[in-house]
Amino acid sequence: MKIFSYMKEYDYEQLVFCQDEQSGLKAIIAIHDTTLGPALGGTRMWTYATEDEAVEDALRLAKGMTYKNAAAGLNLGGGKTVIIGDPKQDKNEELFRAFGRYIQGLNGRYITAEDVGTTVQDMDLIHEETDYVTGISPAFGSSGDPSPVTAYGVYRGMKAAAKEGFGSDSLEGKTVAVQGVGNVAFTLCRHLHEEGANLIVTDINKEAVQRAVEEFGATAVEPDDIYSVDCDIYAPCALGATINDETIPQLKAKVIAGAANNQLKETKHGDTLHEKGIVYTPDYVINAGGVINVADELHGYNKDRAMKRVETIYDNVSRVFEISRRDDIPTYLAADRMAEERIERMRRSRSQFLQNGQHILSRKQNG
């Protein structure tokens, strides 16, 4: 992999390689863009087949966080860390504390959080060495389990999508097909049930499905049948790439709005949804409740303030639809454009500020 060529092409700022022989730490911190503020993004621990694969994943995920944070209206840039190792076997206190010292050495340019393969307990160990970490235990002032907040944000975004698709943001009487009934999706189902929506659910975990049936009166279907059910809204809340060549022809939903990451298998599938008139809600806009929540910890966590900020996901989703109509582009491109326009506005503003400052300084020197 030609690292500098890749970084130049996609305008990355910094790539940091961290190793600690005693603990076995091998980590890569990617900082994509800090125009809006310090880079915030989680730490993923995974058994990568090659080092190049790990670098590519860190870079890809960091760029994604730039767009997610910008679209959420946060004053934060995008970054990500990957730690090469088996999260079930290779963890130890020394490893995460060594990693915390590397984060501290970046002097606030990068702030981490938990991600795939890492836990709150791991973040607590990092916190022993640095304050530039979120998602730590509530005892240290953290927000705790982020899934209820993420679910509320998805619920708010779904209401905005319903307004775009049906002319009203009311979900009462609407049939929502929820794929996956994990922690986030279960809480989402509770919000939908309380508003009077009809639920169709599926999951490979039969106990989770049964719980939704019992508590919310949901109808259960087999995993492969969720795409073709008669429904108003399809809510992918499990694995990514469920919107693809095989599933799109089966969909009867007018609206797609769910918590899963990377819902489109390829960008062409976003184009297809646009052509078919299906309202697709870009995942990184609608599922931003978790990052909004942990970002609030940077100011001393206040739940009411965080939840109020999460409510703005409704407005962010609505803005994506406005841009899609304005520019006649698919919503996945509109979301990118919304994030890019915000970053560019701030970049121009800072550039102008610096130019004005230099002009004033020059006048004083020549005065």
Side-chain angles (χ1 to χ4, degrees):
M1 180 181 184
K2 296 181 178 179
I3 293 176
F4 278 107
S5 296
Y6 189 98
M7 291 178 69
K8 182 179 179 181
E9 182 179 358
Y10 298 104
D11 202 20
Y12 286 83
E13 294 181 6
Q14 191 171 6
L15 193 62
V16 182
F17 292 86
C18 316
Q19 80 85 28
D20 181 72
E21 184 176 1
Q22 180 177 342
S23 66
L25 173 70
K26 290 189 290 185
I28 302 158
I29 303 171
I31 297 175
H32 176 247
D33 189 289
T34 58
T35 302
L36 297 176
L40 172 67
T43 293
R44 176 170 296 193
M45 189 169 187
W46 196 253
T47 51
Y48 293 96
T50 66
E51 292 179 359
D52 278 356
E53 183 181 310
V55 171
E56 187 174 351
D57 202 30
L59 290 167
R60 178 181 61 83
L61 293 167
K63 183 179 178 184
M65 288 307 302
T66 294
Y67 281 75
K68 187 168 192 170
N69 292 337
L74 299 173
N75 295 317
L76 293 165
K80 205 77 170 188
T81 294
V82 299
I83 295 177
I84 301 173
D86 187 339
K88 295 180 180 179
Q89 299 181 13
D90 297 332
K91 289 184 179 182
N92 57 68
E93 178 182 359
E94 294 85 355
L95 182 147
F96 286 105
R97 293 191 65 166
F99 177 55
R101 291 192 291 273
Y102 278 108
I103 293 176
Q104 181 66 21
L106 291 172
N107 295 317
R109 276 181 55 77
Y110 171 67
I111 303 161
T112 198
E114 65 180 285
D115 200 275
V116 174
T118 59
T119 66
V120 171
Q121 290 71 34
D122 300 331
M123 297 305 109
D124 286 348
L125 292 174
I126 294 171
H127 184 54
E128 293 288 336
E129 303 289 343
T130 184
D131 289 331
Y132 301 120
V133 55
T134 60
I136 53 181
S137 297
F140 295 116
S142 173
S143 55
D145 180 12
S147 60
V149 186
T150 302
Y152 182 64
V154 174
Y155 168 67
R156 291 288 299 167
M158 186 180 291
K159 287 178 71 66
K163 186 173 183 180
E164 180 71 14
F166 308 113
S168 167
D169 67 6
S170 173
L171 298 173
E172 183 177 3
K174 292 289 186 291
T175 298
V176 184
V178 182
Q179 181 188 46
V181 200
N183 291 337
V184 172
F186 189 84
T187 304
L188 172 64
C189 286
R190 185 184 304 281
H191 289 302
L192 297 173
H193 175 68
E194 289 174 352
E195 190 169 336
N198 305 308
L199 296 171
I200 301 173
V201 299
T202 195
D203 198 299
I204 57 174
N205 183 337
K206 300 301 181 184
E207 292 181 3
V209 170
Q210 187 58 33
R211 186 180 172 206
V213 170
E214 292 174 357
E215 294 202 26
F216 310 130
T219 299
V221 299
E222 291 300 314
D224 289 342
D225 295 335
I226 195 70
Y227 307 107
S228 59
V229 298
D230 286 318
C231 64
D232 301 296
I233 301 170
Y234 166 55
C237 297
L239 298 175
T242 63
I243 301 171
N244 53 54
D245 288 337
E246 290 73 35
T247 61
I248 290 176
Q250 300 180 55
L251 293 175
K252 296 181 175 66
K254 171 70 174 177
V255 169
I256 298 175
N261 289 312
N262 305 314
Q263 295 171 18
L264 302 175
K265 185 172 183 180
E266 299 176 55
T267 56
K268 70 175 184 178
H269 297 120
D271 298 329
T272 301
L273 295 177
H274 182 66
E275 292 164 3
K276 292 172 71 71
I278 296 174
V279 176
Y280 168 64
T281 316
D283 43 52
Y284 72 77
V285 180
I286 194 173
N287 68 14
V291 71
I292 292 172
N293 191 56
V294 297
D296 193 81
E297 296 177 20
L298 302 173
H299 309 286
Y301 185 68
N302 180 291
K303 183 177 181 180
D304 291 340
R305 180 177 62 202
M307 295 300 286
K308 188 175 181 63
R309 189 66 180 268
V310 170
E311 288 183 358
T312 65
I313 288 177
Y314 183 106
D315 301 317
N316 297 338
V317 168
S318 298
R319 176 62 178 154
V320 168
F321 297 139
E322 289 173 9
I323 294 172
S324 176
R325 290 192 302 272
R326 180 194 75 189
D327 298 345
D328 191 24
I329 56 175
T331 53
Y332 77 92
L333 288 177
D336 288 354
R337 191 160 295 180
M338 179 175 74
E340 290 163 355
E341 287 177 353
R342 180 166 181 249
I343 293 169
E344 185 56 32
R345 286 196 301 271
M346 181 55 69
R347 186 175 285 124
R348 288 198 304 266
S349 174
R350 288 186 174 179
S351 177
Q352 186 62 47
F353 178 80
L354 290 173
Q355 289 177 12
N356 290 343
Q358 290 172 349
H359 179 65
I360 292 171
L361 179 61
S362 177
R363 287 179 59 188
K364 286 183 177 179
Q365 290 174 339
N366 297 327

